[in-house]
Amino acid sequence: SQQGEEDPQALSIQEGENATMNCSYKTSINNLQWYRQNSGRGLVHLILIRSNEREKHSGRLRVTLDTSKKSSSLLITASRAADTASYFCAPTYRGSQGNLIFGKGTKLSVKP
Amino acid sequence: GAVVSQHPSWVICKSGTSVKIECRSLDFQATTMFWYRQFPKQSLMLMATSNEGSKATYEQGVEKDKFLINHASLTLSTLTVTSAHPEDSSFYICSARRRAGTSGRGSTDTQYFGPGTRLTVL
């Protein structure tokens, strides 16, 4: 299937700890995006990393991409209770029309 | 920038009625809009892709006569659930992709999502 596969499915940590989520995908990509969804809300775009990039930062977020392993990771540093949400990766495959297919996501729970 | 709105945010209707959901890109032009459906504790399922001025492309298993999509302008797409039934109760989310060549940050692959519409069919 074309969706990214997030791992773990659920992650529970204490406030202040770092959270790492992983994503694996199938074939060559143009880019890969990470989104966040708070319960009952729409998705919020977090970061896009292109296939020729290896690492990208945005505030407390760090995304890495390893095209040889067809995997990406999202690191949230110094987590806060407000980071509690589901996180999805969405690869955009070469030759596709840019449609995003979402996996089951990682449900992150940050306890105060 | 890149704000997408949806209206209504929630709706309750009787079985057999039709419901229209609007999706608007407020500060950018969107050549393509997407409609997703999300059941409780599940991921988003792409229903259809809507290009301005042309017919929508539906994903396999989505009835085009039941879920009518209209993308009449670069900032508005509508989804009409016709003859709604309780099994259509779900969270419907739209997203919009920026028109290539327009100003603004971000790749044209980035989709900007609306806040969603909770549909409950009694």
PDB file of all heavy atoms in Angstrom, chain B residues 68-91:
ATOM      1  N   LEU B  68     -21.626  13.897  -3.601  1.00  0.00           N
ATOM      2  CA  LEU B  68     -21.490  14.815  -4.723  1.00  0.00           C
ATOM      3  C   LEU B  68     -20.482  15.905  -4.377  1.00  0.00           C
ATOM      4  O   LEU B  68     -20.601  16.562  -3.363  1.00  0.00           O
ATOM      5  CB  LEU B  68     -22.835  15.447  -5.063  1.00  0.00           C
ATOM      6  CG  LEU B  68     -23.961  14.465  -5.443  1.00  0.00           C
ATOM      7  CD1 LEU B  68     -25.245  15.237  -5.719  1.00  0.00           C
ATOM      8  CD2 LEU B  68     -23.570  13.622  -6.637  1.00  0.00           C
ATOM      9  N   ILE B  69     -19.514  16.068  -5.255  1.00  0.00           N
ATOM     10  CA  ILE B  69     -18.480  17.061  -5.007  1.00  0.00           C
ATOM     11  C   ILE B  69     -18.496  18.090  -6.114  1.00  0.00           C
ATOM     12  O   ILE B  69     -18.516  17.746  -7.299  1.00  0.00           O
ATOM     13  CB  ILE B  69     -17.099  16.395  -4.912  1.00  0.00           C
ATOM     14  CG1 ILE B  69     -17.028  15.534  -3.643  1.00  0.00           C
ATOM     15  CG2 ILE B  69     -15.989  17.446  -4.905  1.00  0.00           C
ATOM     16  CD1 ILE B  69     -15.774  14.703  -3.528  1.00  0.00           C
ATOM     17  N   ASN B  70     -18.467  19.339  -5.707  1.00  0.00           N
ATOM     18  CA  ASN B  70     -18.425  20.447  -6.648  1.00  0.00           C
ATOM     19  C   ASN B  70     -17.284  21.372  -6.278  1.00  0.00           C
ATOM     20  O   ASN B  70     -17.133  21.767  -5.131  1.00  0.00           O
ATOM     21  CB  ASN B  70     -19.750  21.219  -6.616  1.00  0.00           C
ATOM     22  CG  ASN B  70     -19.777  22.342  -7.641  1.00  0.00           C
ATOM     23  OD1 ASN B  70     -19.269  23.428  -7.397  1.00  0.00           O
ATOM     24  ND2 ASN B  70     -20.344  22.051  -8.784  1.00  0.00           N
ATOM     25  N   HIS B  71     -16.473  21.710  -7.247  1.00  0.00           N
ATOM     26  CA  HIS B  71     -15.317  22.592  -7.005  1.00  0.00           C
ATOM     27  C   HIS B  71     -15.423  23.734  -8.005  1.00  0.00           C
ATOM     28  O   HIS B  71     -14.723  23.762  -9.009  1.00  0.00           O
ATOM     29  CB  HIS B  71     -14.032  21.796  -7.194  1.00  0.00           C
ATOM     30  CG  HIS B  71     -12.805  22.485  -6.696  1.00  0.00           C
ATOM     31  ND1 HIS B  71     -11.637  21.801  -6.436  1.00  0.00           N
ATOM     32  CD2 HIS B  71     -12.546  23.772  -6.409  1.00  0.00           C
ATOM     33  CE1 HIS B  71     -10.711  22.654  -6.015  1.00  0.00           C
ATOM     34  NE2 HIS B  71     -11.247  23.849  -5.998  1.00  0.00           N
ATOM     35  N   ALA B  72     -16.311  24.664  -7.697  1.00  0.00           N
ATOM     36  CA  ALA B  72     -16.688  25.685  -8.657  1.00  0.00           C
ATOM     37  C   ALA B  72     -15.691  26.822  -8.766  1.00  0.00           C
ATOM     38  O   ALA B  72     -15.672  27.544  -9.763  1.00  0.00           O
ATOM     39  CB  ALA B  72     -18.060  26.245  -8.298  1.00  0.00           C
ATOM     40  N   SER B  73     -14.880  27.021  -7.743  1.00  0.00           N
ATOM     41  CA  SER B  73     -13.921  28.118  -7.787  1.00  0.00           C
ATOM     42  C   SER B  73     -12.619  27.671  -7.154  1.00  0.00           C
ATOM     43  O   SER B  73     -12.533  26.574  -6.603  1.00  0.00           O
ATOM     44  CB  SER B  73     -14.468  29.335  -7.047  1.00  0.00           C
ATOM     45  OG  SER B  73     -14.356  29.157  -5.644  1.00  0.00           O
ATOM     46  N   LEU B  74     -11.624  28.513  -7.240  1.00  0.00           N
ATOM     47  CA  LEU B  74     -10.305  28.179  -6.701  1.00  0.00           C
ATOM     48  C   LEU B  74     -10.260  28.261  -5.178  1.00  0.00           C
ATOM     49  O   LEU B  74      -9.215  27.985  -4.582  1.00  0.00           O
ATOM     50  CB  LEU B  74      -9.240  29.097  -7.303  1.00  0.00           C
ATOM     51  CG  LEU B  74      -8.849  28.790  -8.746  1.00  0.00           C
ATOM     52  CD1 LEU B  74      -7.930  29.882  -9.294  1.00  0.00           C
ATOM     53  CD2 LEU B  74      -8.164  27.430  -8.847  1.00  0.00           C
ATOM     54  N   THR B  75     -11.358  28.648  -4.560  1.00  0.00           N
ATOM     55  CA  THR B  75     -11.356  28.753  -3.108  1.00  0.00           C
ATOM     56  C   THR B  75     -12.501  27.993  -2.440  1.00  0.00           C
ATOM     57  O   THR B  75     -12.634  28.039  -1.217  1.00  0.00           O
ATOM     58  CB  THR B  75     -11.440  30.228  -2.660  1.00  0.00           C
ATOM     59  OG1 THR B  75     -12.639  30.791  -3.195  1.00  0.00           O
ATOM     60  CG2 THR B  75     -10.231  31.009  -3.155  1.00  0.00           C
ATOM     61  N   LEU B  76     -13.309  27.308  -3.218  1.00  0.00           N
ATOM     62  CA  LEU B  76     -14.469  26.649  -2.634  1.00  0.00           C
ATOM     63  C   LEU B  76     -14.726  25.292  -3.247  1.00  0.00           C
ATOM     64  O   LEU B  76     -14.792  25.143  -4.466  1.00  0.00           O
ATOM     65  CB  LEU B  76     -15.714  27.517  -2.805  1.00  0.00           C
ATOM     66  CG  LEU B  76     -17.053  26.890  -2.378  1.00  0.00           C
ATOM     67  CD1 LEU B  76     -17.080  26.616  -0.885  1.00  0.00           C
ATOM     68  CD2 LEU B  76     -18.218  27.801  -2.779  1.00  0.00           C
ATOM     69  N   SER B  77     -14.888  24.306  -2.391  1.00  0.00           N
ATOM     70  CA  SER B  77     -15.349  22.982  -2.805  1.00  0.00           C
ATOM     71  C   SER B  77     -16.460  22.564  -1.851  1.00  0.00           C
ATOM     72  O   SER B  77     -16.413  22.886  -0.667  1.00  0.00           O
ATOM     73  CB  SER B  77     -14.213  21.957  -2.762  1.00  0.00           C
ATOM     74  OG  SER B  77     -14.679  20.655  -3.077  1.00  0.00           O
ATOM     75  N   THR B  78     -17.455  21.889  -2.374  1.00  0.00           N
ATOM     76  CA  THR B  78     -18.541  21.412  -1.519  1.00  0.00           C
ATOM     77  C   THR B  78     -18.705  19.905  -1.661  1.00  0.00           C
ATOM     78  O   THR B  78     -18.503  19.342  -2.740  1.00  0.00           O
ATOM     79  CB  THR B  78     -19.874  22.096  -1.858  1.00  0.00           C
ATOM     80  OG1 THR B  78     -20.224  21.801  -3.217  1.00  0.00           O
ATOM     81  CG2 THR B  78     -19.795  23.594  -1.665  1.00  0.00           C
ATOM     82  N   LEU B  79     -19.061  19.294  -0.561  1.00  0.00           N
ATOM     83  CA  LEU B  79     -19.380  17.868  -0.527  1.00  0.00           C
ATOM     84  C   LEU B  79     -20.826  17.741  -0.070  1.00  0.00           C
ATOM     85  O   LEU B  79     -21.181  18.252   0.991  1.00  0.00           O
ATOM     86  CB  LEU B  79     -18.459  17.132   0.442  1.00  0.00           C
ATOM     87  CG  LEU B  79     -18.861  15.697   0.822  1.00  0.00           C
ATOM     88  CD1 LEU B  79     -18.716  14.754  -0.367  1.00  0.00           C
ATOM     89  CD2 LEU B  79     -18.013  15.180   1.999  1.00  0.00           C
ATOM     90  N   THR B  80     -21.650  17.116  -0.879  1.00  0.00           N
ATOM     91  CA  THR B  80     -23.034  16.883  -0.504  1.00  0.00           C
ATOM     92  C   THR B  80     -23.250  15.397  -0.280  1.00  0.00           C
ATOM     93  O   THR B  80     -23.022  14.599  -1.198  1.00  0.00           O
ATOM     94  CB  THR B  80     -24.012  17.396  -1.578  1.00  0.00           C
ATOM     95  OG1 THR B  80     -23.799  18.796  -1.772  1.00  0.00           O
ATOM     96  CG2 THR B  80     -25.451  17.172  -1.157  1.00  0.00           C
ATOM     97  N   VAL B  81     -23.646  15.059   0.926  1.00  0.00           N
ATOM     98  CA  VAL B  81     -23.989  13.669   1.238  1.00  0.00           C
ATOM     99  C   VAL B  81     -25.474  13.526   0.957  1.00  0.00           C
ATOM    100  O   VAL B  81     -26.308  14.105   1.670  1.00  0.00           O
ATOM    101  CB  VAL B  81     -23.676  13.332   2.705  1.00  0.00           C
ATOM    102  CG1 VAL B  81     -23.966  11.862   2.989  1.00  0.00           C
ATOM    103  CG2 VAL B  81     -22.223  13.664   3.036  1.00  0.00           C
ATOM    104  N   THR B  82     -25.811  12.802  -0.086  1.00  0.00           N
ATOM    105  CA  THR B  82     -27.221  12.684  -0.477  1.00  0.00           C
ATOM    106  C   THR B  82     -27.865  11.486   0.209  1.00  0.00           C
ATOM    107  O   THR B  82     -27.215  10.458   0.437  1.00  0.00           O
ATOM    108  CB  THR B  82     -27.349  12.520  -1.994  1.00  0.00           C
ATOM    109  OG1 THR B  82     -26.680  11.313  -2.386  1.00  0.00           O
ATOM    110  CG2 THR B  82     -26.723  13.694  -2.724  1.00  0.00           C
ATOM    111  N   SER B  83     -29.126  11.648   0.557  1.00  0.00           N
ATOM    112  CA  SER B  83     -29.886  10.585   1.210  1.00  0.00           C
ATOM    113  C   SER B  83     -29.044   9.920   2.308  1.00  0.00           C
ATOM    114  O   SER B  83     -28.745   8.721   2.251  1.00  0.00           O
ATOM    115  CB  SER B  83     -30.333   9.557   0.171  1.00  0.00           C
ATOM    116  OG  SER B  83     -31.207   8.608   0.756  1.00  0.00           O
ATOM    117  N   ALA B  84     -28.692  10.731   3.256  1.00  0.00           N
ATOM    118  CA  ALA B  84     -27.769  10.250   4.295  1.00  0.00           C
ATOM    119  C   ALA B  84     -28.413   9.155   5.147  1.00  0.00           C
ATOM    120  O   ALA B  84     -29.616   9.180   5.420  1.00  0.00           O
ATOM    121  CB  ALA B  84     -27.339  11.416   5.174  1.00  0.00           C
ATOM    122  N   HIS B  85     -27.599   8.215   5.551  1.00  0.00           N
ATOM    123  CA  HIS B  85     -28.027   7.128   6.439  1.00  0.00           C
ATOM    124  C   HIS B  85     -27.103   7.080   7.641  1.00  0.00           C
ATOM    125  O   HIS B  85     -25.997   7.627   7.601  1.00  0.00           O
ATOM    126  CB  HIS B  85     -28.026   5.796   5.681  1.00  0.00           C
ATOM    127  CG  HIS B  85     -29.141   5.687   4.701  1.00  0.00           C
ATOM    128  ND1 HIS B  85     -29.009   6.042   3.381  1.00  0.00           N
ATOM    129  CD2 HIS B  85     -30.429   5.278   4.851  1.00  0.00           C
ATOM    130  CE1 HIS B  85     -30.143   5.854   2.759  1.00  0.00           C
ATOM    131  NE2 HIS B  85     -31.028   5.396   3.620  1.00  0.00           N
ATOM    132  N   PRO B  86     -27.538   6.424   8.713  1.00  0.00           N
ATOM    133  CA  PRO B  86     -26.700   6.390   9.924  1.00  0.00           C
ATOM    134  C   PRO B  86     -25.272   5.928   9.675  1.00  0.00           C
ATOM    135  O   PRO B  86     -24.344   6.421  10.324  1.00  0.00           O
ATOM    136  CB  PRO B  86     -27.469   5.423  10.838  1.00  0.00           C
ATOM    137  CG  PRO B  86     -28.899   5.611  10.452  1.00  0.00           C
ATOM    138  CD  PRO B  86     -28.872   5.824   8.954  1.00  0.00           C
ATOM    139  N   GLU B  87     -25.063   5.035   8.732  1.00  0.00           N
ATOM    140  CA  GLU B  87     -23.696   4.566   8.462  1.00  0.00           C
ATOM    141  C   GLU B  87     -22.814   5.627   7.822  1.00  0.00           C
ATOM    142  O   GLU B  87     -21.589   5.448   7.720  1.00  0.00           O
ATOM    143  CB  GLU B  87     -23.716   3.308   7.584  1.00  0.00           C
ATOM    144  CG  GLU B  87     -24.427   3.476   6.265  1.00  0.00           C
ATOM    145  CD  GLU B  87     -25.879   3.015   6.321  1.00  0.00           C
ATOM    146  OE1 GLU B  87     -26.501   3.118   7.410  1.00  0.00           O
ATOM    147  OE2 GLU B  87     -26.383   2.578   5.274  1.00  0.00           O
ATOM    148  N   ASP B  88     -23.442   6.740   7.392  1.00  0.00           N
ATOM    149  CA  ASP B  88     -22.659   7.856   6.848  1.00  0.00           C
ATOM    150  C   ASP B  88     -22.151   8.772   7.950  1.00  0.00           C
ATOM    151  O   ASP B  88     -21.362   9.694   7.685  1.00  0.00           O
ATOM    152  CB  ASP B  88     -23.505   8.675   5.862  1.00  0.00           C
ATOM    153  CG  ASP B  88     -23.943   7.865   4.665  1.00  0.00           C
ATOM    154  OD1 ASP B  88     -23.151   7.018   4.193  1.00  0.00           O
ATOM    155  OD2 ASP B  88     -25.095   8.057   4.197  1.00  0.00           O
ATOM    156  N   SER B  89     -22.607   8.532   9.163  1.00  0.00           N
ATOM    157  CA  SER B  89     -22.136   9.336  10.294  1.00  0.00           C
ATOM    158  C   SER B  89     -20.625   9.178  10.407  1.00  0.00           C
ATOM    159  O   SER B  89     -20.110   8.059  10.512  1.00  0.00           O
ATOM    160  CB  SER B  89     -22.815   8.879  11.587  1.00  0.00           C
ATOM    161  OG  SER B  89     -24.212   9.079  11.520  1.00  0.00           O
ATOM    162  N   SER B  90     -19.950  10.293  10.393  1.00  0.00           N
ATOM    163  CA  SER B  90     -18.494  10.254  10.405  1.00  0.00           C
ATOM    164  C   SER B  90     -17.958  11.670  10.559  1.00  0.00           C
ATOM    165  O   SER B  90     -18.716  12.630  10.650  1.00  0.00           O
ATOM    166  CB  SER B  90     -17.984   9.637   9.096  1.00  0.00           C
ATOM    167  OG  SER B  90     -16.594   9.426   9.142  1.00  0.00           O
ATOM    168  N   PHE B  91     -16.661  11.759  10.580  1.00  0.00           N
ATOM    169  CA  PHE B  91     -15.965  13.049  10.626  1.00  0.00           C
ATOM    170  C   PHE B  91     -15.425  13.301   9.227  1.00  0.00           C
ATOM    171  O   PHE B  91     -14.617  12.517   8.730  1.00  0.00           O
ATOM    172  CB  PHE B  91     -14.843  12.967  11.668  1.00  0.00           C
ATOM    173  CG  PHE B  91     -14.207  14.274  12.020  1.00  0.00           C
ATOM    174  CD1 PHE B  91     -14.974  15.359  12.420  1.00  0.00           C
ATOM    175  CD2 PHE B  91     -12.827  14.423  11.977  1.00  0.00           C
ATOM    176  CE1 PHE B  91     -14.388  16.567  12.767  1.00  0.00           C
ATOM    177  CE2 PHE B  91     -12.229  15.624  12.322  1.00  0.00           C
ATOM    178  CZ  PHE B  91     -13.009  16.700  12.721  1.00  0.00           C
TER     179      PHE B  91
END
